[in-house]
Amino acid sequence: MVFCGRVNPITGSLDWIEEDENYDYHQEIARSSYADMLHDKDRNAKYYQGIRAAVKRVKKRGEEAIVLDIGTGTGLLSMMALKAGADYCYAVEVFKPMADAAIQIVKANGFADKIKVINKHSTELTLGPDGDMMQRANILITELFDTELIGEGALPSYEHAQHNLMQERWEAVPHRATVYAQVVESHRLWSWNKLLPMQSDSGTIQPPPEMQSCPGAPSVCDVQLSQLNPSDFKALSDILVVFRVDFSEQISSSSISHVVNFKLLANGAAQVVLSWWDIDMDPEATINCSMKPGWLYPALHPVPWRDHWMQCVYFLPEEKKVMQGEEICLIAHQDDYCVCYNLTKPSAAERSSAESPACRCGAHITWNRARFGELNDQSRMDKYKEALKKILTPSSMCLCVSDGSLLPMLAQSVGAAQVYTLESSSMAQQLMDKLLQTNQLKETIHVLQKSPDKVTMADLQDRKVSALIGEPFFTTSLLPWHNLCFWYSRTALTGNLAKDCTVLPISASLYVLAVEFRDLWRIRSPCGSCEGFDVSIMDEMIKTSLDFRESQEAEPHPLWEYPCTALSDPTKLVTFDFREKVPTEDMTAEGSLNLVRSGVCHGMVLWMDYQLTEDISISTGLLQVSDETGNCQWYPHRKQGVYFFSSLWNPEPAPTYSQSSVTYQLTFKPQLGDLRMRFIPK
């Protein structure tokens, strides 16, 4: 056993947890995307077609087909090559658990004598009788791509392999990749990147100027663009070809800028670049695998679903007002691992900076994209304003406990006499100071960078808190109940609270819903076989890793990106009363919920609803269920918890589906800040 130090997202403390020495191994396997990739029939079929065509071209030249498969994973592509007629394969996998699995899978399928699995990075391979490879290869097969195409270091790996491991003439599968982009205006997407002005009772809360001019975070925002409604953006350009990479030619990983001139389709504000790529598996481009979003497919055309490759949202360094018919230049700056975009006049293209964006204001380091969206949600903030008006008076002594919240400014705007706010880090404190200074509130709102248990009466100028407020939101939170950190903070602050102190929110309730996912279930579904090859060993590894803990855990997922159907009514499991201190005894709940629709029940979704006042509440989960279809609408700025059943379950079809139910057992352990759950379909 080993001890691992981890921040407890509920209590906020550093806990030393005793774990099995194989804990990290199981975590890597459980969180891998191998099941998702193995279920991607479109990807697998296109690779198989491309590999067969490449082997055929080599054989037609009278040569032996020697394959180098970089990033082999399960060994699937190497086995495809052997089945297509290749003579020998070198299958390279740097992640040891996967290399071990590939050895077993290759052996189980009868290819152990013709596939050599090598547990190394491809740049470490050696040639020769005593080396990893007896001879150079003439077919290069890779699956080194991510949502951004090159983010997993594909270009350096290709460059090294082509110079050191391939014959003078080689075939590549895939043969080429093409990156596409479209410039758009989108209030919804832009609100993920900038803090927008917000209306309060005393005026407008303005973002700091340095936040508005900041180029933002350097990392790409990957998202299931198929779930973005086309009405959420205005296209300012056609779909542009930005650059191509031909994998059958010598590749350079050196930085380069790609310049694309185009005419604007409409007036607007250029804010965002949407991007995706496709790969041609053969030189003639007859075998194509595309990552384009669903709304670009013809009506009724099946849209391949994949979560390992999504689409990209890039935020331009600054918003640019543009005019229809104007000629403008989109520049993609590409290095060996990432791409960033800039928009400029054609005459200024040569002077465009090739530096990747880097946050200068602190906000893009402190807040993620969903948090920006939540802070910019005016309708949500209006509910907080309404609730604050009900509880605050000119004599209120108000303390806010939430990370990077606008509630202190709203509390001041509705008339609170004194407002304090706790921030968990020095960067968060600096960010809040900038906000207050911009809005001339530094003299009326006081920022404390302290943990709740360290706050003294002297910090509060010897006044008791009459109103404790929070959203609640904490940057360490991953799952909905992690924001119970507010409850622990309230408990730690008890000595600083007035006897009649009002707490907002009053309480939080944990809800659950049984669902059928359209596609998300694939990431946890066994594969058994793939393209005729037995990969069940991989299923066993994933299942063992998922069952590694005593009971299953929920996973955080932004469900607005993953359509699902409600099979039950939403059910309240337990309520946490913030007016009282955290109890010392376990809180338990058990019962059952009936299914009200037929379908395949893939699992349960959990979320929190907050009761701000007796008559005002907000939800971080289910917003609406269609009466006709059962389709769910989810709150887009928080992740919901998803508990997958270990095996898919198909309840009785209508009209007897009402006899089906799910029993639940839930235990909240206050001393550990741990929520344990078990759901059993009946």
Side-chain angles (χ1 to χ4, degrees):
M1 302 296 286
V2 295
F3 285 93
C4 299
R6 292 189 176 84
V7 175
N8 186 316
I10 296 181
T11 65
S13 63
L14 178 66
D15 294 342
W16 290 95
I17 302 171
E18 191 178 34
E19 295 285 7
D20 187 280
E21 61 183 6
N22 294 317
Y23 175 78
D24 289 336
Y25 159 80
H26 286 293
Q27 288 290 89
E28 287 285 343
I29 293 293
R31 294 172 180 173
S32 70
S33 297
Y34 289 105
D36 175 28
M37 290 187 285
L38 293 172
H39 277 293
D40 189 345
K41 293 183 179 180
D42 178 72
R43 162 197 176 272
N44 298 336
K46 300 291 176 57
Y47 260 101
Y48 202 178
Q49 294 170 35
I51 290 169
R52 284 187 299 185
V55 171
K56 185 176 180 181
R57 291 194 298 273
V58 169
K59 293 288 188 178
K60 191 175 181 180
R61 298 198 294 264
E63 302 173 10
E64 279 192 326
I66 308 300
V67 174
L68 174 60
D69 175 11
I70 301 178
T72 194
T74 60
L76 177 64
L77 302 185
S78 288
M79 293 189 294
M80 287 181 177
L82 264 293
K83 190 172 181 179
D87 294 283
Y88 200 81
C89 291
Y90 297 99
V92 185
E93 176 55 53
V94 70
F95 182 37
K96 189 176 188 306
M98 282 311 307
D100 294 342
I103 290 171
Q104 296 180 61
I105 292 171
V106 164
K107 183 177 180 180
N109 285 274
F111 294 116
D113 59 334
K114 289 193 173 185
I115 297 177
K116 181 181 180 181
V117 179
I118 306 169
N119 178 213
K120 283 187 177 182
H121 195 284
S122 63
T123 58
E124 299 172 346
L125 295 182
T126 57
L127 288 169
D130 298 323
D132 300 305
M133 296 174 62
M134 286 289 294
Q135 73 269 63
R136 291 175 180 259
N138 55 11
I139 298 178
L140 179 57
I141 300 173
T142 58
E143 207 281 51
L144 298 173
F145 314 120
D146 67 350
T147 294
E148 202 173 11
L149 181 70
I150 62 174
E152 291 186 2
L155 297 183
S157 296
Y158 270 109
E159 185 177 32
H160 176 271
Q162 292 169 350
H163 280 289
N164 299 282
L165 306 173
M166 304 305 295
Q167 298 176 19
E168 287 188 11
R169 183 178 183 183
W170 72 84
E171 303 291 336
V173 183
H175 184 81
R176 75 174 63 85
T178 305
V179 174
Y180 301 90
Q182 186 172 35
V183 181
V184 303
E185 173 186 332
S186 173
H187 176 81
R188 178 176 179 180
L189 295 178
W190 195 240
S191 72
W192 297 354
N193 182 55
K194 301 288 185 184
L195 185 62
L196 306 177
M198 177 166 292
Q199 295 302 315
S200 72
D201 275 24
S202 59
T204 302
I205 298 173
Q206 295 288 352
E210 57 265 45
M211 192 183 297
Q212 296 308 91
S213 61
C214 180
S219 58
V220 67
C221 177
D222 54 346
V223 68
Q224 293 283 1
L225 272 185
S226 295
Q227 301 311 313
L228 190 72
N229 193 314
S231 65
D232 284 330
F233 63 88
K234 179 200 289 187
L236 301 179
S237 78
D238 290 318
I239 295 171
L240 309 169
V241 174
V242 181
F243 64 91
R244 288 191 169 95
V245 182
D246 193 326
F247 301 119
S248 66
E249 298 179 356
Q250 287 289 350
I251 283 176
S252 171
S253 59
S254 300
S255 299
I256 188 172
S257 294
H258 307 277
V259 179
V260 184
N261 293 315
F262 66 96
K263 286 190 176 181
L264 289 149
L265 300 179
N267 299 338
Q271 301 166 323
V272 176
V273 176
L274 309 181
S275 181
W276 57 90
W277 49 268
D278 64 22
I279 44 180
D280 294 319
M281 298 295 183
D282 62 329
E284 298 76 25
T286 60
I287 309 168
N288 180 270
C289 186
S290 178
M291 307 307 120
K292 64 186 178 183
W295 27 265
L296 288 179
Y297 283 82
L300 304 180
H301 189 286
V303 179
W305 184 84
R306 44 181 70 96
D307 207 43
H308 53 285
W309 296 332
M310 292 187 276
Q311 295 81 37
C312 302
V313 172
Y314 296 93
F315 301 102
L316 292 170
E318 59 181 349
E319 179 182 275
K320 287 185 180 291
K321 298 294 183 183
V322 295
M323 300 290 291
Q324 182 178 1
E326 176 186 356
E327 187 168 335
I328 203 161
C329 182
L330 179 67
I331 305 177
H333 303 292
Q334 170 222 314
D335 60 23
D336 52 351
Y337 279 92
C338 64
V339 180
C340 62
Y341 286 91
N342 199 1
L343 203 63
T344 186
K345 293 182 178 180
S347 59
E350 292 185 2
R351 301 191 301 273
S352 176
S353 171
E355 293 183 6
S356 297
C359 177
R360 299 191 297 261
C361 70
H364 302 90
I365 299 172
T366 307
W367 302 332
N368 60 23
R369 270 95 186 208
R371 181 57 175 166
F372 270 102
E374 188 167 51
L375 291 172
N376 287 320
D377 187 343
Q378 184 71 56
S379 62
R380 173 180 173 275
M381 298 309 292
D382 285 344
K383 285 194 172 185
Y384 279 103
K385 278 195 295 185
E386 185 181 351
L388 289 171
K389 287 179 182 179
K390 290 178 177 289
I391 68 164
L392 297 181
T393 68
S395 62
S396 293
M397 170 66 172
C398 184
L399 174 62
C400 178
V401 181
S402 273
D403 287 346
S405 179
L406 300 182
L407 290 195
M409 286 174 271
L410 292 182
Q412 188 275 337
S413 75
V414 300
Q418 284 186 287
V419 181
Y420 289 80
T421 181
L422 295 187
E423 294 296 337
S424 59
S425 68
S426 59
M427 184 170 290
Q429 180 188 13
Q430 292 169 16
L431 184 58
M432 184 57 64
D433 283 338
K434 290 178 185 176
L435 272 166
L436 298 178
Q437 185 172 358
T438 300
N439 292 278
Q440 297 168 348
L441 294 172
K442 276 188 69 68
E443 300 302 319
T444 54
I445 299 177
H446 308 281
V447 183
L448 302 175
Q449 195 228 314
K450 283 194 168 186
S451 60
D453 60 324
K454 297 290 193 273
V455 175
T456 66
M457 289 301 296
D459 293 323
L460 303 174
Q461 298 179 17
D462 294 321
R463 290 193 60 187
K464 293 275 189 177
V465 174
S466 61
L468 180 68
I469 64 174
E471 299 188 45
F473 170 83
F474 299 93
T475 54
T476 56
S477 300
L478 296 175
L479 288 157
W481 45 92
H482 289 171
N483 287 306
L484 289 175
C485 185
F486 178 78
W487 201 14
Y488 285 82
S489 299
R490 175 258 181 271
T491 302
L493 288 162
T494 297
N496 302 102
L497 306 182
K499 289 184 178 180
D500 57 350
C501 178
T502 302
V503 180
L504 181 155
I506 295 171
S507 63
S509 295
L510 181 66
Y511 281 82
V512 69
L513 182 74
V515 301
E516 175 180 9
F517 286 108
R518 183 196 298 173
D519 296 297
L520 187 62
W521 60 273
R522 301 175 196 274
I523 68 173
R524 291 292 174 262
S525 176
C527 302
S529 66
C530 183
E531 295 296 326
F533 301 101
D534 180 7
V535 294
S536 57
I537 292 169
M538 191 66 217
D539 291 337
E540 293 172 12
M541 288 178 61
I542 294 175
K543 186 178 186 303
T544 299
S545 294
L546 290 172
D547 294 342
F548 180 63
R549 288 191 177 277
E550 182 180 343
S551 60
Q552 277 191 305
E553 297 178 337
E555 306 172 9
H557 290 283
L559 290 188
W560 75 266
E561 294 184 57
Y562 303 106
C564 62
T565 302
L567 300 185
S568 72
D569 291 326
T571 301
K572 184 189 297 185
L573 297 180
V574 63
T575 295
F576 307 95
D577 190 345
F578 297 154
R579 293 167 296 190
E580 304 294 333
K581 293 189 290 186
V582 175
T584 56
E585 301 296 323
D586 291 354
M587 297 176 65
T588 61
E590 58 182 43
S592 64
L593 53 93
N594 295 324
L595 301 194
V596 297
R597 290 183 182 85
S598 59
V600 178
C601 190
H602 296 128
M604 314 297 286
V605 177
L606 301 104
W607 70 94
M608 287 286 203
D609 280 1
Y610 292 95
Q611 199 68 41
L612 302 184
T613 63
E614 295 293 348
D615 57 347
I616 301 174
S617 64
I618 60 168
S619 178
T620 63
L622 187 67
L623 300 181
Q624 185 177 348
V625 176
S626 168
D627 291 335
E628 295 181 358
T629 63
N631 291 339
C632 300
Q633 180 185 350
W634 298 98
Y635 181 67
H637 307 308
R638 296 276 182 105
K639 291 183 179 181
Q640 290 74 41
V642 179
Y643 180 104
F644 289 102
F645 290 127
S646 57
S647 60
L648 299 183
W649 167 61
N650 193 359
E652 293 290 328
T656 58
Y657 62 82
S658 60
Q659 298 172 8
S660 299
S661 63
V662 178
T663 63
Y664 59 84
Q665 298 171 344
L666 187 87
T667 303
F668 178 67
K669 293 186 165 296
Q671 300 301 320
L672 301 175
D674 189 18
L675 188 65
R676 297 179 181 176
M677 62 194 73
R678 184 172 176 82
F679 295 94
I680 305 172
K682 294 291 186 181

